[in-house]
Amino acid sequence: MSSCVSSQRHHCSSVRRLPAPTSRAGWHASHFRRRVVSLRATRAEAPSSVPPPPVGGGKAAAAVQAEIVEAAAVWCAAHGLVVGDRENPRSGTVPGVGLVHAPFSLLPTRFPASFWKQACELAPIFNELVDRVSLDGEFLQGSLSRTKQVDDFTARLLEIHAKMMAVNKKEDIRLGLHRSDYMLDSETNSLLQIELNTISTSFPGLGSLVSKLHRTLLNQYREVLGLDSERIPPNHATAQFAEALGKAWAEYNNDSAVVMMVVQPEERNMYDQFWLINHLKESHGVTTIRKSLAQVEAEGQVLADGTLVVDGRPVAVVYFRAGYAPNDYPSEVEWSARVLIEQSSAIKCPSISYHLVGTKKIQQELAKPSVLERFLDNKEDIAKLRKSFAGLWSLDNEEIVKSAIEKPDLFVLKPQREGGGNNVYGHDLRETLIRLQNEQGEALAAYILMQRIFPRASPTHLVQGGVCFEDLTISELGIFGAYLRNKDKVIINDQSGYLMRTKVSSSNEGGVAAGFAVLDSILLTDE
């Protein structure tokens, strides 16, 4: 899951969270200090958003905007671009109850075609890198050895990994469904990686739908908008993720086995998951069951031959859409389930080693000189990866820590966490670094410092709960990647669609599920 790097050039004292999805027609004024605006938007210098062009003034413009917003909301309801309504307590547990449209941008965001091509070309290289690093258990254990002393969650993951190493557990069939997140940095005019997600890469389903929504709106209002829908790149993330899961299931070679999706007990983003489940069934004939970690522990067992059986069904593939954060392990029951899964012969997406590759500390280690060469041979591929790396440092670097204390707005302090809402910025960053230095302990190892990325902000129309409002926003592009390997045979190594998220520029975080951002798509430009 993503923890988006903020792009606000000046520090905000508090995170500005977008209003939570709601079924009501509007929100209390205190939820946002904005007003619904006409289609006549003021363009910032070199904007990345696509505000609707003027179609007349005043009431005429507002009427056209209202029509587009209504058409978009109807499309969402008719095509399943929905999430659970937080106002309804049953919306995270009972399918079909308490639905609202997912938050979305009214129109796609402009994105230079050259950077789009660069991001897509990086996907298979990162896929291969994850696989190579996952096989080096000593590197993973050594790189995270200090972190585990001060981070209980990472320590538990490493403990499971060490157990698998001790019994020489081999994962002959390895499946990765990844997402690498990027922002365009206006300071350097370059595409820089925020993070690489190797577990619970969400929104292949709804992300694909937003691209279709925007293409539909651009075609339906072509005369008004004057935008070419063909410049929205195809987004087949749902189909490609389902294909990877289906082929992994086939490699397991047990026709009676199922795919098991590990989910959180309450999941308002379940419809993103159901899009994938339905596609897997309809296109590949594969059945999926959804289970929480607690249910796995209660209903699961590993047979003598290594087969994982849950609720009486053999499991071919375990696809984690939970298990990435401490909150997913409220008791020893959940940890027991994770160990049970790792001990089995089921294909894990991700395995414990793939999971660890996605930690912030490993990202920082891979950015060190000569480390990529340990895992990759192709010099061109290595150069392409390094070109996308933002500055990444451990807190052992006293010079960088000093710089971060003096100029905290140029850095982001990141713990080993996924899911949004965990990073430290500005004044809080300075205070945290000073405190950690004064403690003189191992706590420094729980964090990394990252260069702060500054994309251009531009006015964008955002829609939540049927209400459209304008704000200055920045966007983050996530490129999905699918990787499937059986021993020495690489079966799939592809870029597999994308996820565009847009958020108000005053927010330090960027997760859609966490309530900070909206779903978006891209409109390729020649800029």
Side-chain angles (χ1 to χ4, degrees):
M1 302 286 286
S2 173
S3 300
C4 178
V5 172
S6 172
S7 56
Q8 185 81 339
R9 187 174 297 273
H10 301 292
H11 172 68
C12 285
S13 59
S14 62
V15 173
R16 185 179 183 186
R17 185 188 291 262
L18 285 174
T22 173
S23 60
R24 294 171 294 178
W27 302 282
H28 190 275
S30 64
H31 281 162
F32 60 94
R33 294 186 297 275
R34 297 181 283 264
R35 61 183 179 89
V36 177
V37 297
S38 73
L39 291 177
R40 191 183 299 275
T42 303
R43 294 174 181 260
E45 181 182 356
S48 59
S49 65
V50 184
V55 292
K59 293 182 179 179
V64 174
Q65 177 181 314
E67 181 181 335
I68 297 175
V69 171
E70 181 175 314
V74 169
W75 193 97
C76 290
H79 293 83
L81 182 48
V82 295
V83 294
D85 181 5
R86 298 187 187 198
E87 298 287 315
N88 190 318
R90 300 172 66 210
S91 65
T93 55
V94 184
V97 173
L99 307 185
V100 294
H101 70 75
F104 63 89
S105 65
L106 187 59
L107 294 174
T109 292
R110 286 192 178 97
F111 200 86
S114 59
F115 290 121
W116 163 254
K117 180 181 178 183
Q118 178 188 353
C120 290
E121 289 177 348
L122 286 169
I125 307 175
F126 273 116
N127 290 342
E128 185 70 30
L129 178 64
V130 169
D131 188 64
R132 298 279 185 90
V133 176
S134 75
L135 297 175
D136 195 332
E138 291 183 2
F139 174 78
L140 291 173
Q141 288 284 335
S143 298
L144 292 164
S145 60
R146 290 185 59 207
T147 302
K148 72 178 181 181
Q149 297 179 37
V150 290
D151 187 314
D152 291 339
F153 180 65
T154 301
R156 292 301 296 266
L157 296 176
L158 282 170
E159 180 182 323
I160 297 172
H161 181 254
K163 287 181 179 179
M164 298 305 106
M165 289 180 64
V167 298
N168 197 27
K169 182 73 167 62
K170 300 293 185 183
E171 301 293 338
D172 289 336
I173 306 174
R174 302 191 293 279
L175 173 64
L177 296 177
H178 308 140
R179 195 187 70 233
S180 184
D181 295 331
Y182 305 92
M183 280 185 172
L184 288 178
D185 183 39
S186 62
E187 302 289 311
T188 59
N189 192 33
S190 57
L191 183 80
L192 297 180
Q193 186 186 54
I194 307 295
E195 65 182 355
L196 179 62
N197 301 276
T198 60
I199 183 169
S200 189
T201 46
S202 59
F203 289 114
L206 300 191
S208 300
L209 287 175
V210 173
S211 299
K212 294 179 181 179
L213 165 65
H214 285 161
R215 196 173 290 112
T216 299
L217 293 177
L218 265 56
N219 287 329
Q220 186 173 345
Y221 295 94
R222 181 182 299 272
E223 293 184 3
V224 175
L225 301 174
L227 299 172
D228 183 5
S229 65
E230 294 300 314
R231 284 189 169 268
I232 298 177
N235 190 357
H236 303 302
T238 308
Q240 290 177 280
F241 268 29
E243 179 186 17
L245 288 164
K247 287 189 174 181
W249 175 88
E251 289 295 316
Y252 190 79
N253 197 25
N254 182 345
D255 291 343
S256 65
V258 298
V259 169
M260 181 174 72
M261 185 180 291
V262 178
V263 300
Q264 294 172 334
E266 293 188 9
E267 179 56 87
R268 290 181 175 83
N269 194 29
M270 69 173 76
Y271 303 100
D272 178 61
Q273 300 170 0
F274 280 125
W275 270 106
L276 190 55
I277 290 170
N278 293 343
H279 203 292
L280 189 56
K281 182 64 174 180
E282 293 169 2
S283 299
H284 302 277
V286 178
T287 298
T288 304
I289 59 175
R290 297 172 76 249
K291 297 289 182 179
S292 68
L293 284 170
Q295 288 174 318
V296 172
E297 201 277 337
E299 304 170 12
Q301 60 176 318
V302 175
L303 303 183
D305 64 356
T307 301
L308 175 65
V309 177
V310 177
D311 194 20
R313 302 184 186 189
V315 177
V317 182
V318 179
Y319 173 39
F320 285 91
R321 288 295 292 265
Y324 55 84
N327 290 342
D328 289 331
Y329 302 86
S331 71
E332 288 300 313
V333 166
E334 288 76 17
W335 285 112
S336 177
R338 185 66 186 269
V339 172
L340 188 75
I341 292 168
E342 292 300 328
Q343 291 173 332
S344 76
S345 62
I347 302 166
K348 298 92 180 170
C349 182
S351 64
I352 189 66
S353 57
Y354 267 45
H355 185 170
L356 290 171
V357 175
T359 59
K360 304 297 188 297
K361 182 61 179 177
I362 296 300
Q363 181 185 7
Q364 180 251 312
E365 288 291 316
L366 291 172
K368 289 182 176 180
S370 302
V371 175
L372 286 179
E373 284 80 359
R374 176 171 176 168
F375 303 104
L376 299 175
D377 301 318
N378 189 301
K379 293 183 179 179
E380 290 186 5
D381 287 349
I382 291 172
K384 289 178 180 178
L385 293 182
R386 285 218 171 97
K387 184 179 179 181
S388 71
F389 287 171
L392 293 159
W393 306 275
S394 76
L395 269 61
D396 292 331
N397 190 322
E398 294 181 1
E399 183 178 347
I400 289 296
V401 171
K402 180 181 178 182
S403 297
I405 291 174
E406 292 175 350
K407 298 180 179 180
D409 290 339
L410 299 181
F411 298 87
V412 180
L413 187 63
K414 289 189 169 188
Q416 310 298 319
R417 292 290 178 269
E418 303 294 341
N422 300 299
N423 298 332
V424 185
Y425 302 87
H427 176 76
D428 292 337
L429 182 150
R430 175 191 285 124
E431 294 300 312
T432 301
L433 288 178
I434 292 173
R435 175 178 58 79
L436 292 173
Q437 281 189 326
N438 291 337
E439 290 175 356
Q440 291 293 315
E442 289 293 329
L444 292 170
Y447 298 87
I448 67 166
L449 270 171
M450 182 174 179
Q451 165 193 352
R452 199 162 182 175
I453 300 172
F454 297 108
R456 289 190 179 95
S458 56
T460 303
H461 291 82
L462 311 173
V463 184
Q464 283 192 326
V467 176
C468 182
F469 57 93
E470 183 189 61
D471 209 328
L472 285 176
T473 67
I474 50 88
S475 298
E476 177 179 339
L477 174 65
I479 298 293
F480 292 118
Y483 187 88
L484 177 62
R485 187 185 192 109
N486 191 342
K487 296 182 179 178
D488 293 332
K489 181 183 178 183
V490 177
I491 300 166
I492 297 175
N493 185 12
D494 293 325
Q495 180 264 336
S496 303
Y498 72 95
L499 171 68
M500 192 69 163
R501 287 163 297 176
T502 292
K503 63 171 187 174
V504 294
S505 59
S506 56
S507 171
N508 280 337
E509 298 290 347
V512 175
F516 298 105
V518 304
L519 296 172
D520 202 346
S521 71
I522 65 177
L523 188 80
L524 295 177
T525 69
D526 298 325
E527 298 173 14

